[in-house]
Structure formats: structure tokens, C-alpha cells
Amino acid sequence: DADVTQTPRNRITKTGKRIMLECSQTKGHDRMYWYRQDPGLGLQLIYYSFDVKDINKGEISDGYSVSRQAQAKFSLSLESAIPNQTALYFCATSDVGGNTDTQYFGPGTRLTVL
Amino acid sequence: DAKTTQPTSMDCAEGRAANLPCNHSTISGNEYVYWYRQIHSQGPQYIIHGLKNNETNEMASLIITEDRKSSTLILPHATLRDTAVYYCIVSAINAGGTSYGKLTFGQGTILTVHP
């Protein structure tokens, strides 16, 4: 969805380096999410944020941190990258409230840690 | 959230209906059934969701059994562009009627549409 953008789209880095992945959205949604996807597997939730002051850990938050700089921006950091963090990373947004979990996903960032 | 079970893979001929089953026998009364799909490592795309009534939109139909323990996603006229991984997800809402906002993705069903 063009309303959710991720940068960079591809990144190759070395073990021990600090990496930041950025996500921006123009949908005006309060909720934002970071997922990772390993080859052949489904997505796993890393962190999620229901508003600028609300950050929550997901299933696999160890080794990651996040920052919600504004309603439209949610960044994911790998403080010291390791090879098993090589994966596809997706950002998503959703609208607050209601009975729907309709999430809109960005195009993904392919991260390779050597 | 309830666990879902889907077949690993399915095939369908182009132009025919694709019927993708999902078992969610432990679903709770406050859990909705959602379907997303992911085309070749792109970001997942929302398809449809429902609680207990059948639903239809421009992309697909969702049939939920009366006991809510299973559902079927129907793509009425599959095209080659429908080749993707399809995820069936159940997700709860709280007592106030607000979603918890967390989706749990399994491995999904790989649907291959053949010419």
C-alpha cells in the first residue's frame, strides 16, 4: 500500500552494527506495528504502538527497540545486529477502535546481516 | 487468540472458484475471522473478515459455519494474479468492542492458480 512506506527497502549489514528501519504512513492511523518474516514462515509481531505514548512488546521483541516519533512515524532499531535477524521486516498501520483489525502493510525491508 | 489450521497448499484452475478452508475449532465468541494474502514477499493484503454471518466484498466471499468452528474463503473466479499465500487469522475484541489490534499469522495456504 503506497500510504505506508518503508526505508530502506534492502539493507546488507555486518554483525554488531546498529541498524534503523523506518516506517511512515499517510493514512492518519493511530496504530502501528512491526513484524518480521523468516523464509517460508508467517509474520511474527515484534512491537506495536497504539498511539505516540503507547509502545508494547510483541512476540519476539528481544534484540529490537522502537521509537514512535510522531503519529505517522514508527522506527525499528537493531542495536547490535546478528545473522539470525536476517529477515523481511514489515510495518503496518490500523485504525483505532471498532471491531476490525484491518491492517495495511508497507512493502517491506529485506535485511541481511552477515 | 484461537489457533487456526489451514492446508499447506492448494491448486486451482484459472477462471474457476478457489475455496480455501480454515479450521478454528477453539474460536471464542468475541473473535473475528480475518483473511489476508501475501503475494510473493510483498506486504500482506487484507481480503475480508467476519464474525458469524457470511460476508462478501469485491475480492471474495467468506462463509462461516453456524458453530463458527470453521470457515471458507471463496475467490469466485480465480486468476493467475491470485496466486499467493492466504492467511486465516482469528482476532479478539475486548469487552468495550475495541480490537486488541494484534494479528497472529500462521504459515497459511499456498494457492497456485494454473492457466
Side-chain angles (χ1 to χ4, degrees):
Chain A
D1 192 312
D3 298 323
V4 183
T5 58
Q6 294 183 233
T7 55
R9 295 293 312 278
N10 290 281
R11 182 72 184 269
I12 299 173
T13 190
K14 295 182 178 180
T15 298
K17 293 291 187 180
R18 184 178 188 273
I19 296 296
M20 178 180 286
L21 309 182
E22 299 188 349
C23 177
S24 295
Q25 52 114 347
T26 58
K27 300 188 77 68
H29 290 168
D30 285 324
R31 296 182 172 185
M32 298 187 73
Y33 311 80
W34 274 105
Y35 292 87
R36 72 174 268 175
Q37 185 175 33
D38 295 303
L41 300 180
L43 280 71
Q44 295 176 281
L45 184 62
I46 307 173
Y47 271 95
Y48 60 103
S49 169
F50 283 178
D51 65 39
V52 175
K53 297 180 181 180
D54 179 73
I55 304 288
N56 303 280
K57 293 182 178 180
E59 308 166 68
I60 55 163
S61 58
D62 287 348
Y64 301 95
S65 63
V66 290
S67 173
R68 185 81 184 267
Q69 301 96 322
Q71 185 202 39
K73 295 185 182 297
F74 193 34
S75 300
L76 176 72
S77 294
L78 288 68
E79 297 301 326
S80 180
I82 56 177
N84 75 3
Q85 291 177 313
T86 294
L88 260 176
Y89 289 84
F90 291 103
C91 173
T93 75
S94 70
D95 213 352
V96 67
N99 65 13
T100 178
D101 271 331
T102 302
Q103 294 188 13
Y104 299 88
F105 286 80
T109 293
R110 186 174 296 278
L111 177 66
T112 303
V113 183
L114 302 176
Chain B
D1 291 337
K3 181 180 172 62
T4 62
T5 304
Q6 299 177 251
T8 301
S9 63
M10 295 184 66
D11 292 330
C12 178
E14 189 176 21
R16 305 297 294 270
N19 297 277
L20 290 86
C22 180
N23 181 284
H24 32 78
S25 58
T26 60
I27 193 169
S28 301
N30 67 339
E31 289 181 314
Y32 282 71
V33 179
Y34 290 81
W35 284 84
Y36 283 75
R37 73 180 183 184
Q38 185 177 24
I39 298 172
H40 189 55
S41 298
Q42 296 177 20
Q45 176 189 24
Y46 166 80
I47 301 173
I48 198 167
H49 77 284
L51 182 63
K52 52 184 175 182
N53 297 321
N54 298 337
E55 302 288 344
T56 295
N57 64 20
E58 65 278 4
M59 290 183 68
S61 296
L62 174 61
I63 308 298
I64 303 174
T65 58
E66 192 170 343
D67 64 7
R68 302 185 69 239
K69 293 184 177 182
S70 65
S71 61
T72 300
L73 178 75
I74 301 172
L75 307 179
H77 305 287
T79 71
L80 299 179
R81 289 176 294 180
D82 291 323
T83 293
V85 180
Y86 287 78
Y87 296 100
C88 170
I89 300 165
V90 291
S91 184
I93 59 172
N94 61 27
T98 302
S99 74
Y100 287 107
K102 295 185 289 180
L103 300 178
T104 301
F105 287 79
Q107 293 190 245
T109 296
I110 301 170
L111 174 69
T112 303
V113 180
H114 297 284

